[in-house]
Amino acid sequence: MDKKKWIKHIPLFILELVVLIAAAGALYVVLRTTGKNGVKKDRIDTEHIAVNEEVKEKIQEEENGEGEETKTYTGVYNIAFFGVDARDENLGKGNNRSDTIMLCSIDMDKHDVRLISIYRDTYLNLGNDTYNKCNAAYAKGGPEMALGMINMNTDLYVTDYITVGFEGLMEAVDALGGVEIDVKENEISHLNNYQISMAGTSEDQKTFTATAGVDYEPVTEPGLQTLNGLQATAYCRIRYVGDDFERTKRQRDVLIAMMEKAKGASVGTLMSAMNAVLPHVVTSIDVEDIAAVLSKVGDYMVTVSDGFPFAGMRAGASLPVGACVVPMSLADNVVRLHEILYAEENYEPSAELKSFSAQIEADTKDRLQN
């Protein structure tokens, strides 16, 4: 897809976020010129990103004007967000499992944003015809392989990504003055424990100590409240309340709260948030010489927040690679995904995707758990 056609739209969406969607796995940043402001530009070779052949042909037909009647794909811009627990200099490299994988789909015509978390333990084709938990793709081949993993298992054509580290989320939330989150009673102890593990010290890297009121501000009661950067990041990382499906919802909730806070922020606050984020980002996006269009902060709205595989279409399974989320039918999940992203009814999955779906079914047969 020709990225140049999206340049004029990118700052409108970004400056609505002006944030890192970090631990949550999502951030979309304004890049005023390549390589400035400390942002790390990854000149990824899109030819090396796996994509199902039938999908590539459809995209090319639309770009060449041969699919003008339908224009199913060219009005929507998809970006992958990866959240990793890594130092800034290692963000775009392999050996880091992506703690968060999120697809951000932007409808340029309707000004809709759809956020789809891909559960990190989902049993999928890694993009090289081996099957494992999908977050292993980033560890084995960095963002290039992770993008291929997304494309092959969704019949999408995603070639842009942003990877962020947890520290960037903390700084961005603080620059925005915190975010409003409705904390539940059973989340409080875990939220505070994660704060201690991030802000505290440890001799064995298992037991951490930190002083409340000095190293961190404990959350003491439930309800809607303003969380600072450390608190919001800790909230995103909670794993012990509900399952990973609820965890990814918390991540998306923080993202949406940041977007809402950004809408009412001053230009100075937005710029501070952007500058706080940039050193903790690596991205494939190359947006040159664009101005900050802050008057358009409120143009875009999040209309979908969901997880893949979808509820009612997934199960758990104990497999040789560990406990996994399994799409009961990858093909059916992809039909649903295309309906959400493109309003495309009765999508017909590619032959390649159907073969992946059949392989997953064969590998997990008699192992699925309700």
Side-chain angles (χ1 to χ4, degrees):
M1 185 176 296
D2 182 8
K3 289 186 282 188
K4 293 297 183 182
K5 68 186 295 183
W6 303 115
I7 287 178
K8 63 181 180 181
H9 298 286
I10 286 174
L12 309 187
F13 174 63
I14 273 314
L15 289 171
E16 180 191 9
L17 299 182
V18 182
V19 294
L20 148 77
I21 303 144
L27 164 68
Y28 195 53
V29 180
V30 176
L31 303 181
R32 287 171 293 182
T33 54
T34 302
K36 291 186 179 181
N37 299 314
V39 71
K40 301 168 187 65
K41 178 70 170 62
D42 180 8
R43 300 193 178 281
I44 194 167
D45 186 350
T46 58
E47 294 299 318
H48 293 162
I49 297 174
V51 58
N52 294 335
E53 193 60 35
E54 290 177 34
V55 175
K56 181 182 287 189
E57 290 174 1
K58 288 180 182 179
I59 295 292
Q60 290 173 342
E61 286 177 3
E62 290 196 8
E63 289 182 346
N64 294 332
E66 299 172 20
E68 288 294 326
E69 304 81 18
T70 56
K71 278 200 170 181
T72 303
Y73 299 102
T74 51
V76 176
Y77 182 46
N78 294 319
I79 304 169
F81 294 105
F82 303 109
V84 299
D85 188 3
R87 295 182 180 275
D88 294 340
E89 62 270 18
N90 294 320
L91 291 177
K93 300 177 181 179
N95 300 320
N96 297 310
R97 284 191 177 239
S98 44
D99 194 54
T100 303
I101 305 169
M102 192 179 295
L103 180 69
C104 179
S105 185
I106 308 164
D107 190 315
M108 298 296 183
D109 299 320
K110 298 179 180 179
H111 290 190
D112 288 347
V113 180
R114 301 173 180 91
L115 301 176
I116 305 293
S117 297
I118 300 176
Y119 301 117
R120 61 182 185 166
D121 289 336
T122 306
Y123 186 73
L124 295 173
N125 189 320
L126 293 189
N128 61 356
D129 290 328
T130 65
Y131 291 77
N132 204 327
K133 296 182 180 183
C134 65
N135 67 343
Y138 202 104
K140 291 178 179 295
E144 185 177 283
M145 186 169 175
L147 287 168
M149 177 275 296
I150 292 173
N151 289 336
M152 291 179 68
N153 293 283
T154 61
D155 267 355
L156 296 178
Y157 189 22
V158 186
T159 58
D160 277 326
Y161 81 95
I162 294 172
T163 296
V164 294
F166 291 131
E167 187 176 348
L169 176 62
M170 291 187 274
E171 299 212 13
V173 171
D174 284 337
L176 287 171
V179 292
E180 296 296 310
I181 297 293
D182 187 4
V183 180
K184 304 299 188 293
E185 179 74 46
N186 59 352
E187 294 172 331
I188 293 175
S189 62
H190 301 294
L191 191 159
N192 289 330
N193 286 337
Y194 272 113
Q195 287 200 86
I196 293 170
S197 70
M198 289 187 287
T201 58
S202 174
E203 293 183 358
D204 58 8
Q205 298 304 307
K206 295 180 180 179
T207 303
F208 293 82
T209 59
T211 303
V214 177
D215 300 312
Y216 73 103
E217 292 296 330
V219 172
T220 58
E221 58 186 30
L224 186 65
Q225 55 196 288
T226 301
L227 301 186
N228 64 28
L230 181 61
Q231 292 168 335
T233 303
Y235 177 80
C236 286
R237 301 187 74 177
I238 294 173
R239 302 182 185 184
Y240 306 108
V241 177
D243 47 28
D244 196 45
F245 311 133
E246 291 186 37
R247 176 175 173 270
T248 58
K249 182 182 182 301
R250 282 189 284 269
Q251 296 171 352
R252 296 192 302 273
D253 286 346
V254 168
L255 161 60
I256 293 169
M258 294 176 77
M259 292 175 65
E260 290 304 311
K261 191 65 177 285
K263 289 180 181 180
S266 67
V267 173
T269 297
L270 293 176
M271 294 304 293
S272 294
M274 184 183 73
N275 290 331
V277 166
L278 292 177
H280 309 287
V281 173
V282 62
T283 179
S284 64
I285 299 170
D286 185 6
V287 183
E288 299 181 1
D289 301 322
I290 62 176
V293 188
L294 295 177
S295 62
K296 300 295 184 179
V297 164
D299 274 10
Y300 287 81
M301 295 292 294
V302 175
T303 58
V304 173
S305 173
D306 210 332
F308 180 94
F310 299 104
M313 304 174 73
R314 64 189 181 225
S318 179
L319 302 175
V321 297
C324 294
V325 177
V326 177
M328 290 186 287
S329 166
L330 179 62
D332 288 348
N333 272 279
V334 169
V335 170
R336 174 63 179 147
L337 179 65
H338 281 248
E339 180 182 354
I340 291 172
L341 299 187
Y342 302 114
E344 189 174 6
E345 296 183 3
N346 302 316
Y347 174 75
E348 181 67 23
S350 68
E352 289 167 288
L353 188 132
K354 289 178 181 178
S355 71
F356 306 151
S357 185
Q359 185 64 56
I360 291 170
E361 183 176 351
D363 289 350
T364 61
K365 187 177 181 180
D366 301 326
R367 292 176 177 267
L368 297 183
Q369 306 161 351
N370 293 327

